[in-house]
Amino acid sequence: ISPIERISKNEKGIYQTMPEILFIRDTQKEIAEKYKIGFYDSFSALGGAGQNDILYQNGFMQPDKTHLTRKGGEFFAEVIYSDFFTHYQKFNGIVEETHKKNLAQLKKDKNKEVNFVSKAYFYFFMIVWIMATLLTRFPEYKIGFLAIVSFYFYATWNFYALGIILASTIIDFFCGLKIYQEQQAGRKGTGYLVLSLVSNLSMLFFFKYCDFVVGLLNVIQINGNPISIPLLNLILPVGISFYTFQTLSYTIDIWRKKLIPEIKIIRFAQYVAFFPQLVAGPIVRATEFLPGLKKRGEHFNLKYVKFSSGVILILIGVVKKILADRLAFGIIDGVYANPDMYSSVEILAAIYAYGIQIFFDFSGYSDIAIGSAKILGYHLTLNFN
């Protein structure tokens, strides 16, 4: 595999491909031809002369325009894999499989999540707000509409995991009613609380820790033979921790007699899947969200002050998210990928920048979530100060 391009300034201060790289590439080619070794031309695969400047502009190359960022490394790996896979399939005469792979990738790229800092979210939210405003006089329709669009929002992140959040919603709605019925009959209803805990935490454990536990077990040897349990390579459903603990707070608060269960599943579904806080919080307790809906189906009548403060919160959140990304691309990724290239001061700056990035990323998301909910007439608890 040939080296990728490296560029340096010439006597006139203009960046150009280093002649040493071209010499190495040509030498490798000659040796490969002489000894009949497979030769992969990385230099051409990434675009040829001048490629590093383009890669840098897209965040794939560090400021020195010589070393790849982590994002660039992943891109380079994908280029190599795709080329090898395509040629191997052609070698085996299976061109159709290559075509199917390309179509599958296109389909995957098309089904992108509705990310908070994207045009897709802006259009999505505008449609939701207009429809929710029109349905204000019909609370049940408004709640139903918000529940449906919230599940749609989640499906754009994890379509296959939609069944998991629906199952969690149905189980806890049922358990909440049963716990209350048991209490009315003079019993505690602990059995249904246990059912809620076991079912929810089992799903969370399965997706979050199954492969981790299997990996630990595979290290164990019995009579000199290692245990060989295949990994499931599970993809963790987005937001599973957040909505799991939200639904559990519902059944636990009913069991502790702090909350009367919701009798309409569509209202409970809206609470579980409410899209502003679904993917990354803030976690909202059932006692803070459900009782406030009352007959109107919202927490408060939307007035100018609430609307404007919601817009300002969203804008602040967007700025924080952009700053977090800038810190990642500008400072953090480069230092963390190749710390040996940097001085102690630069490494220390990257460590502090990483802490700031995490703060901006999470608090920015929370700001957008709380602001979006405000514009829709709902109050989300501030839990990131």
Side-chain angles (χ1 to χ4, degrees):
I1 299 178
S2 79
I4 63 174
E5 183 190 30
R6 294 190 178 208
I7 57 179
S8 60
K9 289 182 179 179
N10 59 15
E11 312 82 49
K12 297 179 180 179
I14 300 171
Y15 278 105
Q16 64 178 21
T17 305
M18 292 170 62
E20 295 89 342
I21 293 297
L22 297 175
F23 176 74
I24 292 169
R25 176 173 168 246
D26 293 338
T27 305
Q28 285 182 330
K29 252 184 176 178
E30 290 175 16
I31 294 172
E33 288 173 7
K34 182 178 178 180
Y35 292 101
K36 300 189 184 302
I37 298 169
F39 174 74
Y40 181 76
D41 190 357
S42 303
F43 186 88
S44 298
L46 284 176
Q51 60 180 298
N52 279 22
D53 194 45
I54 298 168
L55 292 172
Y56 170 70
Q57 291 171 17
N58 287 283
F60 294 146
M61 193 67 63
Q62 293 184 34
D64 61 6
K65 298 186 180 180
T66 295
H67 295 89
L68 293 167
T69 60
R70 185 178 300 173
K71 182 181 175 184
E74 291 171 355
F75 172 72
F76 183 33
E78 179 62 28
V79 169
I80 294 177
Y81 166 75
S82 297
D83 284 348
F84 273 57
F85 180 82
T86 300
H87 285 285
Y88 180 67
Q89 294 290 44
K90 286 179 179 177
F91 173 76
N92 287 328
I94 314 174
V95 180
E96 188 181 345
E97 286 299 317
T98 305
H99 181 61
K100 283 182 180 177
K101 178 181 178 293
N102 291 337
L103 287 176
Q105 186 62 41
L106 286 172
K107 186 177 180 182
K108 182 181 177 183
D109 291 341
K110 187 178 179 182
N111 185 31
K112 291 292 183 184
E113 68 271 10
V114 181
N115 195 299
F116 267 11
V117 190
S118 67
K119 289 181 181 178
Y121 181 74
F122 174 77
Y123 296 136
F124 168 80
F125 185 74
M126 285 301 295
I127 293 169
V128 171
W129 176 65
I130 291 168
M131 288 299 298
T133 303
L134 294 173
L135 292 172
T136 302
R137 294 183 180 181
F138 311 97
E140 295 306 317
Y141 290 112
K142 179 181 178 179
I143 288 172
F145 169 72
L146 288 174
I148 291 168
V149 295
S150 294
F151 283 120
Y152 164 77
F153 177 84
Y154 187 74
T156 66
W157 289 75
N158 278 127
F159 181 78
Y160 81 95
L162 191 58
I164 301 167
I165 189 173
L166 286 170
S168 183
T169 302
I170 293 167
I171 290 168
D172 286 309
F173 177 74
F174 168 79
C175 288
L177 289 175
K178 287 296 181 181
I179 291 170
Y180 187 71
Q181 288 174 9
E182 289 286 295
Q183 289 175 344
Q184 294 300 100
R187 296 181 289 272
K188 289 185 176 181
T190 305
Y192 290 105
L193 176 66
V194 171
L195 174 62
S196 171
L197 291 168
V198 170
S199 57
N200 281 281
L201 295 177
S202 295
M203 287 189 283
L204 180 61
F205 178 86
F206 178 73
F207 283 97
K208 204 164 188 177
Y209 300 111
C210 182
D211 281 342
F212 173 72
V213 172
V214 169
L216 293 178
L217 292 175
N218 284 340
V219 177
I220 300 170
Q221 293 188 359
I222 300 175
N223 298 326
N225 298 316
I227 295 174
S228 183
I229 305 172
L231 294 172
L232 297 177
N233 295 316
L234 297 168
I235 299 173
L236 183 68
V238 172
I240 188 170
S241 299
F242 291 97
Y243 68 72
T244 295
F245 290 116
Q246 276 202 183
T247 57
L248 285 180
S249 81
Y250 173 75
T251 51
I252 291 169
D253 282 340
I254 293 172
W255 183 78
R256 295 172 67 186
K257 298 182 179 179
K258 289 187 174 182
L259 180 69
I260 296 174
E262 177 57 58
I263 59 171
K264 294 182 178 179
I265 192 169
I266 198 70
R267 287 185 170 233
F268 181 66
Q270 185 208 10
Y271 159 68
V272 175
F274 191 44
F275 71 87
Q277 48 80 54
L278 175 58
V279 175
I283 293 175
V284 181
R285 293 186 72 93
T287 49
E288 296 164 348
F289 189 90
L290 284 170
L293 297 180
K294 298 178 182 175
K295 290 182 180 181
R296 286 188 55 82
E298 57 189 9
H299 290 154
F300 51 79
N301 295 328
L302 188 61
K303 301 292 184 183
Y304 172 77
V305 174
K306 294 282 187 183
F307 181 85
S308 57
S309 63
V311 171
I312 290 168
L313 269 175
I314 290 172
L315 293 176
I316 291 171
V318 170
V319 170
K320 285 180 181 177
K321 294 283 282 183
I322 291 170
L323 287 173
D325 290 342
R326 292 293 180 189
L327 285 171
F329 291 132
I331 302 174
I332 301 159
D333 285 353
V335 175
Y336 273 72
N338 297 286
D340 294 341
M341 289 175 54
Y342 298 90
S343 68
S344 300
V345 174
E346 289 171 319
I347 291 171
L348 193 62
I351 291 169
Y352 282 106
Y354 185 50
I356 296 168
Q357 181 208 351
I358 292 172
F359 170 75
F360 279 162
D361 200 39
F362 280 91
S363 69
Y365 193 102
S366 291
D367 288 343
I368 298 171
I370 294 169
S372 299
K374 263 190 177 182
I375 292 173
L376 291 170
Y378 295 90
H379 172 72
L380 297 185
T381 310
L382 178 67
N383 70 344
F384 199 104
N385 189 346

